[in-house]
Every structure is written in structure tokens, then in C-alpha cells.
Amino acid sequence: MSLSTVCIFQFILFLYEYLAWQLEIKNYTTHSHHRELFGANKYFLIVQINSLPHLAAAYVYYHRMKWAMLFYIPYLIIFTIGQTFTWWVPYFFRKGLWYIDDNGEKLAQYKQYHSHHHRILPQFNNHEIIPDTEHTILFILTWITLILTIQSIISVSKRKNSKTKLK
């Protein structure tokens, strides 16, 4: 796996996440309520925290800064786990973020902010939570990026070890 392929997916993930937070596309993007909830300044900071690590990773991997390449993996793993527990665990198992409170407030928030967005997945076992298209695409991009990033770290390590053995 070439590092340039990894960089392309890291850049695509950055671009997708940045645009999904910045653009308001009716029935597709789901973040407009955050701007109202947090205000413009905090919202700007949230957008940067969610998207810029992917851009920084693309830069670091493109320039093969081996010491810095390792910093992205924990962020990407946490990012992936967050998506898993927000969308996919509730979709398949009816547990996770939207079910953490006993009074159903989180589930009501889901219904208020997310239930009317476009979906490509069918309802599963009468579960209320169905990941919208924005988060389905994000999840696929994130997993591809995570797998390619880990593969690239492994291949860089193997190359380094084989060069050390040759000396």
C-alpha cells in the first residue's frame, strides 16, 4: 500500500468532514443545531477539532514524518469508536449514545435533530436509530482510512526493519 493512497483517503476524509460541518444541505447534513447550541465561535472550534487532524495526517504521511505518523492513529481510533457508539451500536443493538439516559431525553434529541435526514439503510428490528446517509458515508470513509493508515504504518515499520537487517 503506498503512502500516497493513504494521504488521498486522509484528505478525502478531511474534506468530507469539513464540508459536512460547514455546509447546510437540507435533509443531508445534521450539524446546523450545533451552531445554534454552541454559538459561532465554539462551533468554529468544533469544526476544526473534527476535521483538521485528518488534513494534518495527510501532510505528515505525504512527507513521511515517521515520528508524527503515530500521533494520528489514536485520534482516528477514537474518532471511529465515537461513530460506532453514536450510530452503529444503537442501530444494531439498541444501546449506545442515544440510550444512555433513563428518561429518553437523548432519544428525543435524536428524533428532533436527526430522524428526518436522508437514509440509505433500512430500519433494523424496529429500532428507532437509523444512521443517516451523511454518517453512513463518513463511517465507510473512516474505516477505509483507518485500515489504510494502519497498513501503511506496518509497511513502513517492516521496511525499516528490513533495512536494519541488511546493514
Side-chain angles (χ1 to χ4, degrees):
M1 180 58 50
S2 73
L3 284 177
S4 58
T5 305
V6 176
C7 295
I8 289 169
F9 272 93
Q10 289 166 341
F11 185 75
I12 290 170
L13 184 57
F14 155 74
L15 202 57
Y16 184 81
E17 183 68 351
Y18 189 80
L19 292 176
W21 279 84
Q22 292 292 50
L23 300 177
E24 291 188 35
I25 303 170
K26 187 176 182 184
N27 295 327
Y28 183 75
T29 56
T30 62
H31 305 289
S32 59
H33 66 282
H34 287 105
R35 186 177 286 119
E36 298 162 11
L37 182 65
F38 296 113
N41 291 336
K42 285 184 183 174
Y43 183 77
F44 177 79
L45 184 61
I46 291 168
V47 171
Q48 305 318 308
I49 289 169
N50 273 293
S51 58
L52 285 180
H54 307 296
L55 181 62
Y59 178 85
V60 164
Y61 278 70
Y62 180 77
H63 291 287
R64 291 178 166 73
M65 302 165 129
K66 292 177 181 93
W67 63 271
M69 291 166 79
L70 294 174
F71 287 115
Y72 180 59
I73 291 176
Y75 173 82
L76 192 55
I77 289 170
I78 291 168
F79 189 74
T80 307
I81 290 170
Q83 290 178 52
T84 303
F85 282 100
T86 302
W87 296 106
W88 301 97
V89 170
Y91 179 62
F92 289 112
F93 304 108
R94 213 176 195 167
K95 297 186 182 318
L97 174 72
W98 305 109
Y99 298 100
I100 61 172
D101 57 354
D102 294 331
N103 60 5
E105 187 178 326
K106 282 287 190 188
L107 193 54
Q109 286 177 355
Y110 167 81
K111 289 176 182 175
Q112 179 182 0
Y113 296 119
H114 299 283
S115 65
H116 60 281
H117 288 96
H118 184 266
R119 288 164 172 61
I120 55 177
L121 298 173
Q123 188 172 18
F124 183 78
N125 285 347
N126 291 329
H127 293 181
E128 297 93 345
I129 307 301
I130 304 169
D132 53 47
T133 304
E134 174 195 343
H135 289 98
T136 302
I137 293 170
L138 178 63
F139 192 67
I140 293 166
L141 278 173
T142 302
W143 268 103
I144 291 170
T145 305
L146 178 64
I147 291 166
L148 293 176
T149 300
I150 291 172
Q151 283 180 340
S152 70
I153 288 291
I154 291 168
S155 69
V156 166
S157 297
K158 284 182 180 178
R159 270 190 248 130
K160 182 180 178 184
N161 288 339
S162 66
K163 286 180 183 178
T164 305
K165 288 178 183 177
L166 291 175
K167 289 180 182 181

